Amino acid sequence: MWGSQNPLPSCVNRPSLCSTVWDQFYGEPVVKACIENGAHCIDICGEPQFLEGVELVLDRKARESGVYVIGSCGFDSIPADMGILYTRQQFKGTLTAVESFLTANTGPEGVCVHDATWQSAIFGFADAAKLHFLRKQFNHKSLPVVGAKLKRRGSLFYCKGIGQYAVPFMGSDPSVVRRTQRHLYEEHQQPPVQYCAYAGVGGLCSALKLLFSGLFFWLLVKCSLGRRLLITFPEFFSWGMFTKAGPTQKQMEGTSFCMTLYGEGYTKGHDPSQGKPNMRITTEIRGPEPGYVATPIIMVQAAMTFLNEPHSLPERGGVFTPGAAFARTSLIQRLHRHGLNFTIRDQQGAS
């Protein structure tokens, strides 16, 4: 770790960049140590329990110490969080709602993920009730709904835009985006953007297999024996997607991702409280293999942005999401130059 009273980010190294499961159990002492020693902290953790818990417990201490703690600085939260900010910047009017769809492209070797991510999901679902209790302690008021209310989709549906069946995305993106939108609303009076996240799962057979596996996973994760089985045999319970060895070099080379954001809102001069949205926009974010290629790129560029643009960060320290910390920086341009491309596919009036 490196960092001091100067604005230098402290990058917390781990055996695997995807092993964010350790943050849920051991991350808080690391963040406390950073704050006590004046070391800024950039992390790739993606567990909402940890991220929101750190904000609840340590945000005031970080502010008093002038320390910046920025979580979720990897895949997939920076593409989603910064992607909404990028879409808002490019939108010719008032952006009010966004749906994101994450899809993966794989080569002949298929796709594989290290089982640390699998373990993170296991413990995250097991502690879902604690997350609900944690959020109540913030005592936040509900964010205002600007424009037409965004309707949540079902558990399984076909999306014409991506040409696949899709399910609700179970990662931390909704949590991270919601916290960013609250920060921008409360600190900068920007109207919050509604957000829902989904993931493409392929054809109908793949979708049904996923639903069956998800139901089985949900039943097992509720008891200690089930969790032990899930942790011991990740390949069996995930149809070979999660392994203790992680992806091979060929699998990483053949894998890429695309996050498509469908936004809607109102043209300039049109009152969002009147009528349906009259403008649509589609943003695409493309990049290499998410866990071992895209995430290191994102984390390093987040750290470089922090180093080089301290005057564009929030005025005081604290616990931040990527969007809250980097909204006024050149992070998106930096990511562009290193293989993560943010582009507007189209923008047009609603039919």
Side-chain angles (χ1 to χ4, degrees):
M1 291 175 59
W2 50 282
S4 66
Q5 293 295 338
N6 296 319
L8 302 177
S10 170
C11 300
V12 182
N13 297 312
R14 296 180 182 78
S16 163
L17 285 172
C18 289
S19 297
T20 57
V21 65
W22 301 114
D23 270 324
Q24 189 168 345
F25 301 107
Y26 312 116
E28 188 174 317
V30 174
V31 177
K32 284 182 178 178
C34 287
I35 294 172
E36 291 170 0
N37 291 278
H40 307 294
C41 178
I42 287 179
D43 199 338
I44 64 170
C45 175
E47 291 97 354
Q49 293 96 323
F50 170 73
L51 295 165
E52 297 184 34
V54 165
E55 181 181 4
L56 178 67
V57 176
L58 297 175
D59 179 62
R60 188 173 75 174
K61 291 182 179 179
R63 291 186 181 215
E64 292 171 351
S65 301
V67 169
Y68 293 82
V69 179
I70 311 171
S72 307
C73 289
F75 179 88
D76 44 75
S77 289
I78 276 193
D81 204 21
M82 298 302 294
I84 291 176
L85 300 188
Y86 174 80
T87 303
R88 171 185 262 166
Q89 291 169 0
Q90 303 300 319
F91 193 78
K92 298 174 182 178
T94 302
L95 182 70
T96 58
V98 170
E99 291 181 315
S100 70
F101 289 82
L102 176 64
T103 56
N105 299 309
T106 60
E109 299 289 323
V111 64
C112 176
V113 183
H114 195 278
D115 83 320
T117 301
W118 175 257
Q119 292 184 41
S120 176
I122 292 169
F123 293 117
F125 277 101
D127 288 341
K130 293 182 181 179
L131 178 59
H132 179 70
F133 175 76
L134 172 68
R135 286 173 173 169
K136 291 180 67 175
Q137 296 183 65
F138 280 99
N139 198 29
H140 283 317
K141 295 181 179 179
S142 298
L143 288 173
V145 175
V146 179
K149 187 173 182 180
L150 181 62
K151 296 181 180 179
R152 295 183 180 276
R153 301 181 186 241
S155 299
L156 176 65
F157 60 95
Y158 185 78
C159 176
K160 292 182 180 179
I162 62 171
Q164 297 184 25
Y165 282 88
V167 297
F169 182 67
M170 304 306 292
S172 60
D173 291 356
S175 165
V176 172
V177 168
R178 182 175 59 251
R179 291 168 58 215
T180 293
Q181 294 304 312
R182 180 173 293 280
H183 172 86
L184 296 176
Y185 172 70
E186 294 179 347
E187 298 294 329
H188 303 288
Q189 293 73 53
Q190 293 186 14
V193 176
Q194 303 169 70
Y195 176 65
C196 287
Y198 303 97
V201 295
L204 183 59
C205 290
S206 297
L208 293 175
K209 184 170 73 172
L210 177 66
L211 287 179
F212 174 78
S213 302
L215 178 61
F216 203 54
F217 178 92
W218 183 253
L219 293 173
L220 288 175
V221 82
K222 291 181 175 293
C223 65
S224 58
L225 175 60
R227 291 192 292 273
R228 195 176 305 121
L229 289 171
L230 290 169
I231 291 171
T232 305
F233 305 106
E235 291 186 60
F236 176 79
F237 289 107
S238 68
W239 302 87
M241 178 173 289
F242 294 92
T243 71
K244 294 184 180 298
T248 65
Q249 184 66 36
K250 287 186 177 181
Q251 285 176 321
M252 288 189 286
E253 291 172 353
T255 302
S256 61
F257 78 88
C258 177
M259 181 174 285
T260 307
L261 287 75
Y262 297 102
E264 64 179 26
Y266 300 78
T267 53
K268 292 180 180 179
H270 193 100
D271 186 353
S273 66
Q274 301 296 321
K276 296 180 180 180
N278 63 353
M279 180 68 72
R280 308 271 192 232
I281 188 171
T282 303
T283 302
E284 281 189 350
I285 304 165
R286 294 183 177 272
E289 189 277 332
Y292 291 84
V293 183
T295 287
I297 290 172
I298 294 169
M299 185 185 70
V300 169
Q301 293 310 311
M304 293 300 294
T305 302
F306 187 97
L307 277 169
N308 289 284
E309 302 177 41
H311 300 298
S312 297
L313 300 173
E315 293 183 1
R316 57 184 182 278
V319 178
F320 298 99
T321 59
F326 298 118
R328 296 181 294 172
T329 70
S330 65
L331 176 58
I332 290 175
Q333 288 75 22
R334 288 177 175 273
L335 295 175
H336 260 296
R337 295 196 293 268
H338 291 83
L340 276 83
N341 299 310
F342 292 65
T343 58
I344 299 300
R345 196 170 74 187
D346 62 65
Q347 181 169 187
Q348 58 189 2
S351 56

